[in-house]
Each structure stands twice: as C-alpha cells, then as structure tokens.
Amino acid sequence: MTTAVTAPWRAGSAPDGTPVHRWVLERAGTRVAVLDYGGILQSVEVPDRDGVRADVVLGFDDVAGYVDCPSPYFGALIGRYANRIAGGTFTLDGRTYRLPRNNGTNCLHGGERGFDKRVWDAEPAADGHGVRLSLVSPDGEEGFPGRLAVSATYALDAAGALRIEYRAVTDAPTVVNLTNHSYWNLGGAGSGRAGGHRLRIAAGHVTPLDGDSVPTGPPAPVAGTRFDFREPREVGSGYDHNFVLDQGTSGAPGTSVAAELYDPVSGRVLTVTTTEPGIQLYTGDAFDAGPFGPCEGIALETQHFPDSPNRPDFPSTVLRPGEEFRSVTTYGFKTADDRT
C-alpha cells in the first residue's frame, strides 16, 4: 500500500492569527496527524492485538487546546535546544550567550518562544511518503547565535513505522538539540495512567541530576538503581532523566532498539530507534493539562544530553557553518499476543 498523504486542511489559527493546517499520513495500519503549528504530532492511531484502533499519543482535538495548554509540550517539535541549559547561559568560542530563564534559573526547550510555538512551512515530502516542515530561526532568536535553517520530515515506512528526520544548517557557530515531545499511552489517550506499561531502555548509564534537573557529573551506572531498565519492567513514576544509550558506543547509531514500551492490556508495543546518544524518560508526574492528569503519558525524547553546551565531557551539540545537523528517530508499532 502506498502512503496516503491527505491534502492539508485548515485546523485553526496561531495566537497571531496565522492559519494552522493539519496533515494526515496513512500507511500499513498507522494513521498520523501532524500540525504545522509547533510541528505537533497531534495523533498516532494504531491497532491493538484485537485490531481495535486507538490514538496512542496525548493531545487535543483543536489548535486552541495546544495554544491554551500550560506547557507540557504535547507532541511538539522542540528546539533550538531540547532540555535544559543551566543558568540560561553558555559560552561558545569565548563569547557568552544569555538565554531566557523559563524554567527556574534554566533555559528549557528553546526558551519562551521555542520551535513548539512557531508555524512551520509545510509541503509534501520529496518521496511522497510524508510531510516536510521547515523554518528559519534568525540570528539572536531567544538569545541563540546564528541564522539556523531547520527541517523536520515526518514519514511512514512500508511497515507503518513513523520516521522523523531532522536537519539544520547555520551561518555562525551555535548549539542545536532537536526532539519530538510526544507523550505515549499505548492503552489509548485518555485511558488512564501509563505507569503500568513495561519499559526497556538500552542504557547502562544515566546522567545524575540536581534539584533543578541539571547534570551534576559524568554519567553514572544504572546497575542496582531504579534507573535500570535494561530488562523490561513497569515504568512507575518519578522520572525526568536522561539515559545514555549503549548504542552510542557500540554498533551503528540507529540500527538497534534504544527503547521498547509495552502495554500488557492492549498488547501494543512501541519500539524506538535513534541516531541520538540519549533518551529522556519523563513520566509527567506534575502536569495537569486539560483532560490529562499526572502520569497519563510517557515521554521518550531522543536527544543529546541536558546542559551539553556547558559540559565539554558530553557529546557536543555545537554546529558550525559548512556542517549539517542530521538526526533520525523511528517509532515502530506492533502487538504482542500474551495477555499478562
């Protein structure tokens, strides 16, 4: 079956009145809706073990829901810098840059008006299997240096897996860290808490954090701690942490499963592969947004590590003129037959 890419239709307006459009992709049993506002992954519909379809990401039926939501970034494309930059400041090539402090004393997810609050240009992907979003972030936007040209292509492959490819180029040295911030509930959005899902993460280390969720030192082993998800177990709650993926040091990046999430009730399984070195597990303990309460969705944000611009010992997030940032994450869907 070829991918059905539905012509975009008007889905609402951004706060400044700019029209917002919804794109729908469908292939091999997966149906995906993407908004050009915030690059938001509005819905992902997949069948359970009995063939019953449900939307497995948290979100809203209309654009106003996202605009009015008090900021858990439902389904959004995050940039320029996903996660936190400590103190809202970093130094690059001897120059210090000051950013908005929109998370206590830290800069979170690109600042006050990150990519999640922009209307992106949208067009069918060149291969006909998805939608390509693009924007230009001018030099100095939210304090970040360089004119950054960004694209994100959402596409479905022949098996119905969702592939997101991010690209960026700059005209001056800068830092870049892009991700998608969907909350997954494989029982279906609105079905209740997702803490009973079983999770495996291919990570032998986690970055230790202080009370402001900023790394305090080098990655620490997960063995013998509550961060050990190397074997599948219930997610529970109380997580907003970056896991250091083992695939970053063994094997070709993106060729092995970085994480696998399983809902025993519905039988749905989500697999995540990525070229990124880390994955942020966030169980949404604190948010209460619209119809969704704490722990009703699990975020698995593939990205570089928090505060990397201030940590030369972490994988670099620096992008320079003449280079291209490229990152690929794929979300695969299947079902399991056991009814445990």
Side-chain angles (χ1 to χ4, degrees):
M1 174 183 176
T2 58
T3 307
V5 181
T6 303
W9 54 273
R10 178 75 176 266
S13 300
D16 65 358
T18 303
V20 174
H21 295 88
R22 185 177 190 252
W23 294 70
V24 177
L25 319 175
E26 188 167 7
R27 194 179 192 188
T30 302
R31 183 186 297 122
V32 170
V34 178
L35 299 178
D36 55 18
Y37 176 72
I40 288 171
L41 188 59
Q42 186 181 25
S43 63
V44 177
E45 297 176 44
V46 292
D48 67 6
R49 63 162 67 89
D50 298 316
V52 178
R53 298 170 66 91
D55 178 11
V56 295
V57 296
L58 305 191
F60 302 100
D61 294 334
D62 55 33
V63 176
Y66 295 97
V67 171
D68 297 338
C69 179
S71 176
Y73 302 94
F74 284 109
L77 201 162
I78 304 298
R80 286 189 185 193
Y81 197 93
N83 219 308
R84 292 164 179 85
I85 296 178
T89 184
F90 69 95
T91 300
L92 177 60
D93 295 343
R95 181 175 175 181
T96 298
Y97 297 92
R98 301 193 183 282
L99 315 173
R101 295 182 176 186
N102 61 319
N103 178 244
T105 61
N106 306 317
C107 181
L108 176 66
H109 293 337
E112 297 287 354
R113 187 173 182 261
F115 292 172
D116 59 294
K117 297 177 180 66
R118 299 279 301 276
V119 177
W120 295 61
D121 293 328
E123 61 184 353
D127 64 3
H129 296 308
V131 58
R132 180 180 181 272
L133 306 177
S134 60
L135 62 75
V136 173
S137 177
D139 179 31
E141 185 172 48
E142 297 296 300
F144 289 93
R147 177 186 184 274
L148 191 74
V150 186
S151 70
T153 301
Y154 293 70
L156 294 175
D157 69 15
L162 173 62
R163 183 178 188 268
I164 306 179
E165 180 176 8
Y166 311 86
R167 292 177 180 266
V169 294
T170 183
D171 67 355
T174 191
V175 295
V176 181
N177 190 23
L178 306 177
T179 193
N180 177 273
H181 205 300
S182 289
Y183 293 89
W184 300 92
N185 186 322
L186 300 182
S191 65
R193 294 170 68 92
H197 288 19
R198 297 180 63 82
L199 176 65
R200 180 176 68 86
I201 303 178
H205 293 78
V206 66
T207 49
L209 305 175
D210 64 17
D212 291 325
S213 297
V214 172
T216 58
V222 300
T225 75
R226 68 187 186 94
F227 301 105
D228 193 347
F229 286 95
R230 290 175 296 176
E231 295 296 329
R233 64 180 178 84
E234 284 195 5
V235 180
S237 60
Y239 295 96
D240 190 7
H241 295 80
N242 170 69
F243 288 76
V244 179
L245 295 173
D246 295 338
Q247 68 177 25
T249 55
S250 63
T255 59
S256 59
V257 175
E260 186 171 86
L261 188 66
Y262 169 54
D263 173 32
V265 177
S266 68
R268 295 187 183 95
V269 181
L270 168 70
T271 60
V272 183
T273 62
T274 187
T275 58
E276 288 296 292
I279 190 165
Q280 184 87 4
L281 169 63
Y282 177 43
T283 48
D285 300 65
F287 74 74
D288 184 8
F292 306 114
C295 304
E296 288 200 27
I298 296 167
L300 295 166
E301 306 157 59
T302 58
Q303 57 189 254
H304 273 59
F305 306 167
D307 202 32
S308 291
N310 293 312
R311 294 295 304 259
D313 54 323
F314 286 177
S316 176
T317 55
V318 174
L319 181 67
R320 298 185 180 278
E323 301 174 345
E324 181 184 45
F325 171 91
R326 180 176 180 269
S327 174
V328 178
T329 294
T330 301
Y331 304 94
F333 308 99
K334 60 183 180 181
T335 58
D337 292 331
D338 66 291
R339 297 175 184 266
T340 57

